[in-house]
Amino acid sequence: MAEGDGSGKNRPRLALHVPEPKYRPGDVADFSHLDIPPAGKQKRPDEACAAADTNPLCTDLIRVLGDDDQAHGPWDPRLSADKMRAILRDMALVRIFDERMYRGQRQGKTSFYMKCIGEEATSVAAAHALAFDDMVFPSYRQQGVLMVRDYPLIEMINQIYSNKADKLKGRQLPIMYSSREHSFFSISGNLATQYPQAVGWAMASAMQGDSRIAATWMGEGSTAEGDFHSALTFAAVYNAPTIFNVVNNQWAISSFSGFAGAERTTFAARAIGYGIAGLRVDGNDALAVYAAQLWAADRARSNDGPTLIEFFTYRAEGHSTSDDPSAYRSAQEQNEWPLGDPITRLKNHLIAIGEWSDEQHDAMDKELDEKVRAATKEAEKNGILGHGLHHPFKTMFEDVFEELPWHLKEQSEQAIRERELKWPK
Amino acid sequence: MAEVNKAEAAVEDETATAPGERRINMIQAINEALDIMLDRDPDVMVMGEDVGYFGGVFRATAGLQEKYGRTRVFDTPISECGIIGVAVGMGAYGLRPVPEIQFADYIYPGLDQLVSEAARLRYRSAAEYIAPMTVRAPFGGGIFGGQTHSQSPEAIFAHVSGMKTVVPSTPYDAKGLLIAAIEDNDPVIFFEPKRIYNGPFDGYYDRPAKPWKSHAQSVVPEGYYRIPLGEARLVREGEALTVLAYGTMVHVVESVCREKGVDADILDLRTLVPLDIEAIEKSVKKTGKCMVVHEATKTAGFGAELAALVQERCFYHLEAPVQRVTGFDTPYPHSLEWAFFPGPIRIGDAIDTIMSE
């Protein structure tokens, strides 16, 4: 223990602050301390405004759907009923897909899965506001983007099962999708790395005089990574046409958002210091999510610069199939969450304006469930994890480099020899 | 295949230039390679700290921004993570970025982007996305650079699957290898030994430095040419001993062997991954003795891989244990640089040992 010369002994003792979430297992959760402003009260500046003009929106909460199930205020994107039903349908598909894949993991059909229950709007509604060829750099909880872009469910399941039809040849952990055709960047397990990559892609698009922009996502926990800082610095310096989505679902595995700095300020407010536009949005309000993403997309597309959007939401389930949230947070939190459920809220809005009904919703859920069930069945014909239907051994050595160098050729031959020893003909 | 360069027959310290010959240093050769590739391929772009207007702290990018404009050659924030990360994204878009890291010692903040992203992108996406980038970084010691301007971190990169590692040792090779690296569709780490930017170094720090113009390999064609990655250069053909080296050490080894009159077969590996294993095997099977020389620290250095490969593949031809002559397992010191550097005494001693076996 270091000691001074004694001259400072009259000073107050320093104290280390270690953040602690409000509720632990067994606690009664109460979110009444959260400042949830009424829907429709937030100003909507012009997309071409100075970044600093968005400062008030970084600590506010942009909301459209009110408790009365009606849309309010200047951020209402005034979507057609068809468009809203399309968003609702994609969110419902994501949830049903998640439930089935989660079950598949529990049944041993694959090693791992991650749901996005409660956060469907943050990917689905956002993706609906982008052009199909805008490049998406997702984290692992944006499966909704693929659904919006009509990526075949069977391809997603093939990847999750790592079977012989998996386009990624069984090399990647389940849900680490990639589809160039759908402008969906290869997902990496390393957090936040996609942020500077999205900026680089957007810079390239600008360098080439293209019209496409880049959108990227990460969780609030990942904002603590250095890549977040690098990305925002580069985006600001080069005015790169990038949308930075931060999905603040309150939890990074077992660590509450306080460990990413949430006790001191909002995540949207990080934009201010970089000179980037920032918006803080009700992440369970699909219309607000859509409107904010469109605002940022229009801004980027007009060379007015990047935007950071914080989606304030709640991770309703465990981090992954390997996680049990009852070990670190109150089981009540999910039900007490004041922003409700994104699917229910949009559904109720459509019903309130006479464009939807419970019967239609149930019928849609049933149809989507059958669709997912059929795709699952079809994918299982290509094999499930560990049941022998995988890619040939030699494919393990391909694509490390464009061409197979001598050492990988030798190791490939070794792997094939081992297979013959293990399973003699 | 490795081939004896015919120009190598020219005697050193010969400054005479044959008609039509052009002698340049390694910096100029690198600058030319970048110039040629920027001109040939509109997807090639150059970025890094101080590389734009100023032309680089070693002048490697001098004049390029003026010639190709600020959207092709530009300065970046001081963020290696950002530089490598945006380069990966640019590669995904379809560009061919050539980012510079000012010193190899400062590549570590970009390591996650290099190891987890650039090197794995082709594999994890089943070739949907690639990272056709060339990361240039001045490397190596011998310049009183102390701990953070002298490192040789090649072993870290050679250990990463999906990444190619190149170290040139002459102006001729620097230009041809850099062009090949930029054209390569895999991520390449291009380490430039800064001790020999301006002239070959024989390890005698107390003698006057020699300029490149006295070296045969400073004769560099003006236009486009490439040296394939994965091919070693036979610096000198001999029978008594095989020496495997790269970068600055090629010149030190060559000088020591000449002084001691050892008839060594000296291979400049040029590319560490993929390695020219054929050239190595052929040489060691001929000489029966092998010495590995590098500036980097010894433990788990690239020399360990070379020694293991030689042992595995040439065991029955070996007449002596493989010798490793390397930097010591310490951070690179400032004042004791010449006690750390694997110079003529350490190399000479190792040669005496291996030749007496």
Side-chain angles (χ1 to χ4, degrees), chain A residues 195-363:
Chain A
Y195 253 47
Q197 293 163 3
V199 176
W201 194 98
M203 287 170 69
S205 186
M207 285 155 82
Q208 302 283 307
D210 198 342
S211 61
R212 292 176 293 165
I213 61 169
T216 183
W217 277 255
M218 71 160 69
E220 91 285 352
S222 300
T223 63
E225 293 283 3
D227 299 65
F228 176 81
H229 167 69
S230 301
L232 268 71
T233 301
F234 274 69
V237 167
Y238 302 105
N239 204 42
T242 319
I243 305 174
F244 299 105
N245 294 304
V246 173
V247 181
N248 176 8
N249 66 11
Q250 317 301 321
W251 291 94
I253 309 186
S254 75
S255 302
F256 89 113
S257 57
F259 283 99
E263 288 180 335
R264 311 291 166 181
T265 186
T266 69
F267 293 97
R270 318 280 150 125
I272 295 171
Y274 293 97
I276 286 176
L279 306 174
R280 186 160 175 269
V281 178
D282 177 348
N284 290 14
D285 178 344
L287 299 185
V289 170
Y290 180 97
Q293 196 75 16
L294 187 64
W295 187 94
D298 286 345
R299 181 177 175 83
R301 230 182 283 286
S302 310
N303 283 315
D304 292 319
T307 303
L308 170 67
I309 306 176
E310 172 185 353
F311 293 126
F312 196 67
T313 183
Y314 186 78
R315 197 194 75 208
E317 300 238 2
H319 166 72
S320 72
T321 49
S322 307
D323 179 43
D324 172 14
S326 71
Y328 51 78
R329 70 183 188 186
S330 165
Q332 273 201 323
E333 279 195 15
Q334 186 190 342
N335 299 328
E336 294 302 320
W337 182 245
L339 297 174
D341 177 87
I343 295 177
T344 309
R345 284 175 67 191
L346 187 58
K347 172 190 166 189
N348 291 348
H349 174 60
L350 277 162
I351 292 173
I353 61 171
E355 291 287 353
W356 197 238
S357 68
D358 280 319
E359 294 70 40
Q360 279 173 293
H361 196 90
D362 291 345

Side-chain angles (χ1 to χ4, degrees), chain A residues 178 186 188 210 238 410, chain B residues 75 93 117 123-124 128 313:
Chain A
S178 175
S186 154
S188 169
D210 198 342
Y238 302 105
E410 287 187 1
Chain B
D75 294 312
Y93 181 93
E117 303 295 319
Y123 190 72
R124 77 174 197 231
E128 274 191 342
R313 304 170 93 94

Side-chain angles (χ1 to χ4, degrees), chain B residues 139-186:
Chain B
F139 128 125
I143 58 151
F144 277 108
Q147 293 187 27
T148 57
H149 299 81
S150 309
Q151 294 171 32
S152 300
E154 70 275 16
I156 293 174
F157 298 94
H159 187 62
V160 176
S161 52
M163 187 158 283
K164 293 178 177 173
T165 306
V166 177
V167 188
S169 72
T170 69
Y172 181 85
D173 281 0
K175 181 172 173 180
L177 287 167
L178 182 54
I179 287 173
I182 293 171
E183 288 186 338
D184 199 285
N185 285 327
D186 295 313

